[in-house]
Amino acid sequence: MHESSSVTELANRLRQELDRYSPGGKLPSSRTLVERFRVSPVTVSRALGQLAAEGLVITRPGAGAFRAHPRAAAAPAGDTSWQEVALSAEGAADLVPRTVDASGVTVSLAAPPPGVLELSGGYLHPSLQPERAMAAALARAGRRPGAWGRPPMEGLPELREWFARSIGGTVGAAEVLVSAGGQVALATALRALAPPGAPVLVESPTYPGMLAIARAAGLRPVPVPVDPDGVRPDLLADAFRATGARVFVCQPLFQNPTGAVLAPARRVEVLRIAREAGAFVVEDDFVRRLVHADAGPLPRPLAAEDIENADGVVVHVGSLTKATSPSFRVCALAARGPALERLRAIQVVDTFFVPRPLQEAALELVGSPAWPRHLRTVSAELKTRRDAMTTALRLHLPELALSHVPSGGYHLWLRLPDGTDDTALTGAALRAGVAITPGRPYFSAEPPAAHIRLSFAAVAGTGEIAEGVRRLRAACDEVL
């Protein structure tokens, strides 16, 4: 059994047995738990730590673990109603008041309740993560001379060079900043390129986390529809003319949530339209390393198009996180000209720098023989899982329309029958024991139809995919 799943299972077992002990009563020793449940001492320690964080047990070094006493009733809360006035007043004079809403993001970050299958996750299941390779890389990195010192604010030169080669074209290391994950890089880009109150063009549908970033910065997301070939250039040109926007955020490769790849002819048009509008294209290249085994040659990043990027139209964001672990937050932010200097200044103000040990570990990981092996393994497994999910959906849920089967990424985008409430279906699915993602948060304006997004990367394997679809069938029978 995988370590993280062992911890969860042991914590659940111990939680169920707590009633056997009176408050303050001592639990069996760690050695006893190791022998009884046939797990490692680390698993026992982490499971007890999880229960301690929940306030169910108290651990005392050298003495053991004890059942916690029932919590006393909480003291009456102070009057915080004044905060509503203060927080709402801060944007009273803004053209577009800031809206800080993380609800669309937490769906893919929050762990589902015990026993619920996770078809909503945005990251690889632990069994697909290169945990051993990352641990080895971090151990080697920690022994490097100067590994715990202060890194250059822009990032380690060797890591910037590796990211530049990954992007390709004429992008050089001097045009790359190392950032703390894609979410931070996108936030930095939007703050650098658009003043508060400005419109920003976004794909429709698009990643809810990006919409949250824009609204938190006081920007106004303006949707531009996407079809199976990516954003529609004619509507993009219309949106630039109508709004005067100077930024367009897009995911040209395996777009979230549709899985679309921007067609070759459209790539040229998008860059031409942006240049004529005097605007930036922020390229979120978030899953390039999660290509499926049956995919053909991938298009280069937009930032690699030499002639188009010569004048700095494209600001590129490319992360290692999706292909490794949610905690491996290392990302490239690439640009040219004054935009690069502004990005650098905002990043320094916000975060100073990415911790050097993590940058050193990234260098160790991508330079090791384990890295290409990991990518090949994930590529094959994602194809297998995608095929298992599409087969199960077509067999058991034919009423859910799947218009596009992607050759990369980790999810499918399904249209629900007309009149279906995606929120109601999400709730019914949770009651049936499967977590799914409603489509509404992916639209910055009124959605044209109800959708859901299903992930095939966050579960343990094809068996859980089949069972998840079976449970979703029960939820659909309740709602549809």
Side-chain angles (χ1 to χ4, degrees):
M1 182 177 293
H2 197 271
E3 179 68 36
S4 61
S5 60
S6 297
V7 171
T8 300
E9 182 177 332
L10 179 57
N12 289 338
R13 294 283 298 276
L14 295 176
R15 194 182 293 111
Q16 294 167 3
E17 295 181 2
L18 282 179
D19 288 340
R20 299 180 183 178
Y21 307 94
S22 59
K26 186 175 181 180
L27 275 63
S29 68
S30 294
R31 178 177 297 179
T32 300
L33 294 176
V34 166
E35 294 174 353
R36 177 183 168 192
F37 292 104
R38 299 183 181 275
V39 294
S40 70
V42 173
T43 297
V44 170
S45 176
R46 290 181 177 176
L48 290 174
Q50 184 172 319
L51 297 184
E54 297 171 11
L56 299 177
V57 303
I58 295 173
T59 57
R60 297 173 185 155
F66 302 81
R67 182 181 175 184
H69 288 272
R71 294 179 179 176
D79 182 6
T80 59
S81 58
W82 66 271
Q83 294 185 5
E84 297 182 34
V85 178
L87 293 175
S88 61
E90 75 167 356
D94 294 345
L95 180 62
V96 180
R98 295 191 308 149
T99 303
V100 184
D101 180 5
S103 58
V105 185
T106 54
V107 172
S108 61
L109 293 178
V116 174
L117 297 178
E118 188 176 5
L119 298 188
S120 58
Y123 298 102
L124 296 178
H125 186 268
S127 63
L128 292 179
Q129 296 173 19
E131 288 191 344
R132 290 185 179 180
M134 289 188 295
L138 191 58
R140 293 193 301 270
R143 295 192 295 268
R144 283 187 170 195
W148 296 93
R150 183 179 60 196
M153 290 180 290
E154 299 86 354
L156 296 180
E158 302 92 336
L159 187 56
R160 297 167 70 197
E161 175 63 30
W162 184 85
F163 273 121
R165 291 197 305 270
S166 299
I167 298 169
T170 62
V171 177
E175 296 158 334
V176 174
L177 304 174
V178 177
S179 182
Q183 189 78 356
V184 169
L186 287 172
T188 299
L190 288 186
R191 288 178 57 204
L193 304 177
V200 56
L201 305 187
V202 301
E203 295 172 315
S204 182
T206 192
Y207 166 53
M210 196 279 300
L211 295 177
I213 290 170
R215 290 167 178 150
L219 303 176
R220 178 165 54 90
V222 177
V224 184
V226 169
D227 65 23
D229 288 326
V231 70
R232 289 181 50 183
D234 57 332
L235 298 180
L236 178 65
D238 290 344
F240 272 125
R241 284 192 295 267
T243 65
R246 292 295 178 263
V247 179
F248 169 51
V249 185
C250 66
Q251 295 175 326
L253 188 65
F254 310 132
Q255 196 256 0
N256 183 10
T258 66
V261 176
L262 188 60
R266 292 190 182 186
R267 290 165 59 88
V268 175
E269 280 294 286
V270 165
L271 294 173
R272 179 189 64 79
I273 291 166
R275 182 178 299 104
E276 291 178 356
F280 293 96
V281 174
V282 178
E283 176 187 29
D284 182 12
D285 199 20
F286 72 117
V287 285
R288 178 168 292 273
R289 295 172 181 88
L290 294 187
V291 61
H292 300 170
D294 61 347
L298 297 183
R300 297 192 303 172
L302 291 178
E305 303 296 338
D306 294 340
I307 184 169
E308 286 86 356
N309 199 39
D311 46 6
V313 168
V314 177
V315 174
H316 176 89
V317 176
S319 176
L320 291 175
T321 304
K322 291 295 186 184
T324 54
S325 158
S327 290
F328 206 84
R329 307 201 66 77
V330 179
C331 174
L333 181 56
R336 286 180 172 170
L340 176 63
E341 295 308 310
R342 183 174 290 188
L343 291 166
R344 176 183 179 276
I346 290 177
Q347 180 164 291
V348 169
V349 169
D350 284 350
T351 62
F352 287 4
F353 46 75
V354 176
R356 182 162 187 155
L358 194 56
Q359 294 191 55
E360 297 279 9
L363 269 174
E364 289 282 354
L365 178 65
V366 300
S368 71
W371 179 241
R373 288 199 302 268
H374 164 66
L375 294 181
R376 288 193 298 269
T377 299
V378 170
S379 176
E381 180 64 20
L382 288 179
K383 176 188 178 299
T384 298
R385 292 169 174 231
R386 180 204 66 194
D387 291 347
M389 180 172 280
T390 55
T391 298
L393 288 169
R394 287 166 176 162
L395 181 62
H396 300 292
L397 286 164
E399 64 268 46
L400 304 188
L402 177 61
S403 61
H404 176 65
V405 178
S407 57
Y410 52 88
H411 57 262
L412 301 178
W413 182 241
L414 297 147
R415 176 168 173 163
L416 303 178
D418 291 343
T420 304
D421 184 334
D422 61 335
T423 303
L425 179 58
T426 302
L430 197 58
R431 291 191 296 273
V434 58
I436 64 174
T437 306
R440 181 63 186 86
Y442 290 81
F443 294 90
S444 61
E446 191 68 23
H451 294 77
I452 59 171
R453 198 195 75 164
L454 300 182
S455 168
F456 46 80
V459 291
T462 55
E464 288 196 357
I465 290 174
E467 175 61 16
V469 172
R470 188 191 68 78
R471 297 181 186 184
L472 183 56
R473 171 74 270 172
C476 288
D477 290 340
E478 176 185 334
V479 173
L480 299 185

